[in-house]
Amino acid sequence: MNETMVCVVGNVATRPVYRETASGPAARFRMAVTSRYWDRERNAWADGHTNFFTVWANRQLATNTAASLSVGEPVIVQGRLKVRTETREGQQGWMSADIDAVALGHDLARGTTAFRRAQRPEPASVTDRSEPNWESPRPDSPAKDADAAQQAPQPAAVT
């Protein structure tokens, strides 16, 4: 598996957009990452270039992302970097850097947050929870009717 895994620290630049797709929930948002450096002439920290990434989240991560993130909040994103280029006829080509998120969360170096475990939906209740009889009739005692085929299984010896 030769994928470029990255860990990016920055701020949420756009409101997360949540969609229900055929393959499950998906969410995306733009993230701004600005480098900082020490400017010796001014004797102060200065902002450098800002990079923007489109962050994609899927399944439960998408649901939690849409419910947890707002514009301007500091986040840390870990995921697979995908750089896409496209040229269209009669137009200038463009390039985008996307991150397929594996994990993301608030940057606790710059604030606090309260974690709430996501509630999983209850599975559909089944009234009959009895085990099916997976035992085959023994070859030495042929079943005479359908009721005889459903006889109680014999305990297995474990050695």
Side-chain angles (χ1 to χ4, degrees):
M1 196 190 282
N2 293 327
E3 296 177 306
T4 305
M5 297 296 289
V6 294
C7 184
V8 183
V9 179
N11 293 317
V12 177
T14 63
R15 181 181 56 81
V17 176
Y18 178 83
R19 298 277 189 263
E20 286 286 340
T21 66
S23 60
R28 67 174 164 78
F29 66 93
R30 297 279 286 165
M31 178 178 183
V33 179
T34 302
S35 63
R36 306 254 311 157
Y37 65 94
W38 182 255
D39 187 349
R40 291 182 185 171
E41 292 175 7
R42 293 187 310 165
N43 203 26
W45 285 99
D47 288 340
H49 179 72
T50 301
N51 292 308
F52 287 90
F53 298 93
T54 301
V55 179
W56 295 88
N58 296 301
R59 294 176 292 283
Q60 188 64 42
L61 183 59
T63 304
N64 295 341
T65 295
S68 301
L69 298 184
S70 299
V71 174
E73 292 181 343
V75 291
I76 300 174
V77 176
Q78 181 181 9
R80 291 177 287 281
L81 178 65
K82 308 260 175 135
V83 178
R84 298 182 305 140
T85 59
E86 186 173 323
T87 56
R88 294 182 182 161
E89 221 174 285
Q91 295 181 358
Q92 184 177 0
W94 59 269
M95 181 180 293
S96 71
D98 297 354
I99 300 174
D100 288 336
V102 173
L104 62 92
H106 288 110
D107 183 0
L108 297 181
R110 301 191 298 177
T112 62
T113 189
F115 180 78
R116 287 184 315 274
R117 188 168 299 279
Q119 297 295 323
R120 293 189 177 187
E122 290 290 324
S125 63
V126 178
T127 56
D128 182 25
R129 293 187 180 256
S130 61
E131 279 288 318
N133 185 1
W134 297 102
E135 296 291 321
S136 303
R138 287 195 243 165
D140 59 338
S141 62
K144 293 189 175 150
D145 59 7
D147 292 333
Q150 292 294 328
Q151 53 184 279
Q154 299 295 323
V158 178
T159 56

